[in-house]
Amino acid sequence: MNQMEFTRRFLMKSVGAAGLVGATSSLGLSRAFAADPLKIWTIGVAKVGEEPGTGGKDWGDMGAQAGIDIVYNAKSGSADQAIQKFVLGDGNDLYDAITDNGGGMEDALASQGAIAEIDTAMIPNWENIIDVYKAGGDAADTIRYEDVVYAIPYISNADSIAFDFDEIGEEVTTWEAIFSPEFKGRVSLQNDFGPTFTNTAIYLKQSGKLDITNPSDMTADEVAGVAEFLITKKQEGQFRTFWDGFQNGVDLLASGEVLMQSCWEPVQIFAKSKSGKDIRYGTMKEGHQTFNNVWMLTQGGVDRGMQEQFYKLMNLYLSPWFGARTLATFGYAPSMKGVLEYIDSAPEFSPELRETIANRMARKTERYAVAGNSWQNVFPTEIRAYQDWWSKVQSA
């Protein structure tokens, strides 16, 4: 299913979807009471704890800081399943606010009326948002649909390679390393065609090994070229495995089963903490896939009058309080200005933690500055080619 087919299919279903949302409106006309909790559908790393460097026991610290009560439900399913749930299913009946990938999901859900336009004037900390998200910025379209803001970024990063510095003995600075015979059988890639195809495409493009115009939105022939490269490497025994799930990624690195792998930065941070090894997160000279995850206000949340609670929580997500803690805990890049100044003045951040954060930010700044970076695209034009060729990589 390509982008046009995707859009057309959901537009054809929009009549039914509109009926559903309308029904939701009629059933949920009662306005929210002050004590009504905000019902959220999201992932565990969306929260942090009061103590820096922790995710907190539950959502109590986040709710206390925002001044609201929160009912949390764990997000599950693929992007397609999420769209079905909120356009045709019971998502709008159940949840007031949800998270998913920017750069696609906000377009898919906004185009079907499943989420509501964001009134940025209701978020005082909106003025703190970093320039990349402002109109004209590199990531402006990852929170907008038809130039209207529908999402708030809360975590982001430039994904790279985590590597065991103790074993390798030097910094890893190129994707070439993960495909090098020197590390045959001791490397791992993420079991997800989005970042794995994109990062491989960035490497092949920047090294001159394959002609690729846009690694984030490849043609069918370009996808085939990237996949055939990975299939060849896989059949040569280059990859120990394709990691699947956060804990699997951590265990592979911590145990020494692999020396390096493409992964999220939290995987590197937790593998380092678990093993005590000098596991680092590198800057690749060819570039990285940059991504964000965003909050969205459901139409059901609007119908139930939950905007005030939603905007209080979003104001927290754009505060240095949250930015400092998600950087310290998971290594995610701040979406707002003033984080380092906040850390310097906050007594709960120890000198050791400040040094760790400073090092992490310095490496992050280097990664974001690489010219070859490409922002994520959840629904590339030739998504059917991506899916078909990923199946071939998996079965090779």
Side-chain angles (χ1 to χ4, degrees), residues 42 106 157 180 237 332 366:
T42 184
E106 80 287 356
N157 219 347
S180 169
Y332 289 128
E366 290 177 357

Side-chain angles (χ1 to χ4, degrees), residues 240-315:
R240 173 67 185 83
T241 187
F242 284 67
W243 67 272
D244 207 347
F246 178 82
Q247 193 59 52
N248 180 224
V250 170
D251 291 343
L252 283 168
L253 275 170
S255 66
E257 189 170 343
V258 301
L259 296 179
M260 69 178 74
Q261 68 181 7
S262 61
C263 63
W264 313 318
E265 192 163 1
V267 170
Q268 174 262 320
I269 291 171
F270 281 76
K272 180 177 182 178
S273 176
K274 181 177 181 178
S275 67
K277 299 178 180 178
D278 189 0
I279 296 174
R280 301 184 182 184
Y281 205 56
T283 298
M284 303 302 112
K285 66 180 182 182
E286 299 92 353
H288 321 79
Q289 177 181 262
T290 48
F291 81 95
N292 62 12
N293 207 297
V294 299
W295 276 101
M296 295 167 280
L297 172 63
T298 68
Q299 186 56 51
V302 173
D303 295 336
R304 290 183 287 274
M306 299 302 292
Q307 295 97 318
E308 181 178 353
Q309 290 92 323
F310 173 80
Y311 286 126
K312 284 183 176 179
L313 184 60
M314 294 307 104
N315 201 49

